[in-house]
Amino acid sequence: MMTEEPSLLRPYLMTSGRAQPVDQSLEIEAQVMTSRLGAASHPKLTFERQEIVSLCRNTMSVAEVAAMLGLHIGVARVLVADLAELGYVVVRRPGNHNSHDLGMIERVIRGLEAIH
């Protein structure tokens, strides 16, 4: 019995062949939220970007976005960074003030576990 190998074409197309996000420092625990511009532009976005904008109406981490959409974390980072650069999402970067936010840490862990 032959098993299908996962296609590398879809992620390649989603990211326009890029493996690195425009913001290479984007952390997987960074919190992402849809902006007003993103909500207004939703119908004009590509399918994957529409999904991210819809999901991030409720703030979630990049890792959670990847898990919820079944994307490789690198693909999610590229797409989220693109959306942030265009102003469709707002990214809150982790800092020392979040290092003790147990809720955020648990959400990131759940998101990472869901990727496997």
Side-chain angles (χ1 to χ4, degrees), residues 7 13 48 57 60 75 77 84 101 113 115:
S7 171
L13 293 173
E48 291 80 14
R57 288 188 173 132
M60 62 178 54
V75 172
R77 286 180 68 227
D101 182 349
E113 288 172 341
I115 293 171

Side-chain angles (χ1 to χ4, degrees), residues 94-102 104-105:
N96 290 339
H97 64 281
N98 284 338
S99 64
H100 298 295
D101 182 349
L102 293 179
M104 189 269 300
I105 293 168

Side-chain angles (χ1 to χ4, degrees), residues 61-81:
S61 70
V62 175
E64 289 172 302
V65 169
M68 297 288 289
L69 298 180
L71 298 172
H72 182 279
I73 191 70
V75 172
R77 286 180 68 227
V78 169
L79 295 175
V80 167

Side-chain angles (χ1 to χ4, degrees), residues 2-96:
M2 193 171 150
T3 59
E4 285 188 38
E5 291 294 317
S7 171
L8 297 177
L9 183 59
R10 184 172 180 253
Y12 180 85
L13 293 173
M14 284 190 291
T15 63
S16 301
R18 292 174 295 129
Q20 294 295 319
V22 290
D23 177 359
Q24 293 186 23
S25 67
L26 181 63
E27 304 91 343
I28 63 172
E29 66 273 17
Q31 300 294 298
V32 185
M33 182 169 206
T34 300
S35 68
R36 287 186 183 140
L37 176 62
S41 302
H42 183 269
K44 299 180 233 174
L45 301 174
T46 60
F47 179 72
E48 291 80 14
R49 287 170 174 83
Q50 282 182 346
E51 286 184 312
I52 293 171
V53 166
S54 291
L55 270 178
C56 293
R57 288 188 173 132
N58 296 315
T59 303
M60 62 178 54
S61 70
V62 175
E64 289 172 302
V65 169
M68 297 288 289
L69 298 180
L71 298 172
H72 182 279
I73 191 70
V75 172
R77 286 180 68 227
V78 169
L79 295 175
V80 167
D82 287 352
L83 289 168
E85 183 176 59
L86 295 168
Y88 297 142
V89 296
V90 176
V91 176
R92 284 194 333 231
R93 309 304 286 260
N96 290 339

